Amino acid sequence: MTPRDAADDNPGRWSDLDRPPLNATALRRALVREGGLWSELEVVQRTGSTNNDLVARAAAGPVAEGTVLVAEEQTTGKGRLDRRWSAPPRSGLFVSVLLRPAEVPVHHWGWLPLLTGVAVATGLARAAGVDTALKWPNDLLVTVDGEERKAGGILLERAGEDGVVIGFGLNVSLRAEELPVARAGSLLLAGAVNTDRDPLLRAVLRSLEDWYGRWRAALGEPAECGLQEAYAAGCATLGRTVRAELPGDRDLTGEAVAVDGDGRLVIATAEGVQPVGAGDIVHLRPA
């Protein structure tokens, strides 16, 4: 049975002609196929958080790997450290996917947000003509008027013992006056050649399927599947002086010199080299 898409039932879905609704039927036709990763794709008009919804579904009963949930508007979307992520209806991509990498050792699952960053950046380069840099561990950056700005973020949550939900939010057509904060950006403001969300979503999900397949085939080994090298090549954090704001009200300042095999950011300080596995990173100077 084809999933019911609330976006199709909304009488005001064409209220902003620059922001047409996603075509759920065409997206499923392009992405859901025999032998592929994506098993189901649903577009809803409005929700609090696609991640919350998909985690709840997985807790309530069997949900197939490769289930994709997309919202035209997300009212209480969240990022790391319980930060909120919201934007006008149909101005961005608000997407969560369910993965079950059972054959990959759990200690490698921490690479999944970084893998998603690489996949999103690769897909956007192809479909939008925009260079998207990665800020460790899970921010997507674009350049607007010569300034580096955050245009998206990635969040991973466990879903039962064998599943993870990965959510990503991306500002696509936000105009300057709609930005939630001055340091935010969007693909439109970064000069994207395409802000049609249908081909953007197709490109990103195909890229994610490709990278996830490589990583899974390598049993999560990031060097073996090329993920570690690809992430380092696209990471705007490396080579910069940064401040890591760590749990327990601690901080660490130094140069970000590498991303190690466990996905941790390696920071060189006056006291020595220290890997950081969790924390908020502030870029203190340009690369």
Side-chain angles (χ1 to χ4, degrees):
M1 179 180 293
T2 300
R4 177 178 179 273
D5 296 297
D8 296 337
D9 299 332
N10 179 22
R13 68 188 191 274
W14 289 100
S15 56
D16 187 336
L17 295 180
D18 291 330
R19 293 171 175 163
L22 291 165
N23 186 329
T25 301
L27 287 167
R28 281 192 289 269
R29 188 180 301 119
L31 294 165
V32 178
R33 67 187 193 283
E34 187 72 28
L37 173 61
W38 308 121
S39 57
E40 178 182 331
L41 186 147
E42 181 180 1
V43 178
V44 297
Q45 178 64 25
R46 191 170 188 262
T47 190
S49 162
T50 55
N51 257 39
N52 283 353
D53 292 350
L54 203 47
V55 169
R57 288 188 194 182
V63 178
E65 180 177 44
T67 295
V68 182
L69 179 62
V70 188
E72 295 282 31
E73 181 183 9
Q74 188 169 245
T75 57
T76 58
K78 57 187 178 180
R80 290 181 63 250
L81 308 178
D82 290 327
R83 291 172 179 147
R84 297 302 168 191
W85 184 281
S86 61
R90 302 187 302 278
S91 66
L93 290 172
F94 315 109
V95 184
S96 294
V97 303
L98 177 69
L99 302 177
R100 299 189 186 278
E103 66 273 36
V104 175
V106 172
H107 67 270
H108 284 318
W109 289 18
W111 270 96
L112 281 168
L114 282 66
L115 181 155
T116 303
V118 170
V120 172
T122 302
L124 293 178
R126 293 170 180 164
V130 168
D131 288 330
T132 307
L134 306 171
K135 179 186 173 189
W136 188 92
N138 63 354
D139 286 349
L140 303 164
L141 307 177
V142 295
T143 301
V144 179
D145 297 329
E147 180 184 5
E148 195 174 70
R149 298 192 189 181
K150 179 177 176 178
I154 298 160
L155 181 67
L156 179 145
E157 297 182 76
R158 290 294 296 267
E161 294 184 0
D162 67 342
V164 292
V165 169
I166 301 176
F168 62 89
L170 179 68
N171 293 336
V172 175
S173 64
L174 262 73
R175 306 156 187 131
E177 65 273 14
E178 295 175 319
L179 296 175
V181 293
R183 63 182 179 274
S186 68
L187 298 187
L188 175 69
L189 296 175
V193 298
N194 181 17
T195 57
D196 183 342
R197 293 175 305 142
D198 277 70
L200 296 182
L201 182 55
R202 289 197 300 269
V204 167
L205 289 179
R206 284 168 176 156
S207 180
L208 180 54
E209 180 176 8
D210 177 49
W211 275 107
Y212 179 65
R214 295 191 217 179
W215 176 78
R216 191 165 57 177
L219 300 181
E221 292 291 342
E224 183 177 332
C225 65
L227 176 58
Q228 188 173 2
E229 180 181 3
Y231 186 85
C235 182
T237 302
L238 296 181
R240 302 172 85 140
T241 300
V242 301
R243 182 176 69 252
E245 298 173 350
L246 306 174
D249 293 326
R250 299 179 298 122
D251 62 66
L252 179 71
T253 300
E255 182 183 356
V257 296
V259 174
D260 70 12
D262 293 321
R264 300 176 299 180
L265 183 67
V266 180
I267 300 177
T269 71
E271 290 74 36
V273 175
Q274 182 170 333
V276 172
D280 207 23
I281 300 298
V282 179
H283 291 172
L284 298 180
R285 69 166 176 82

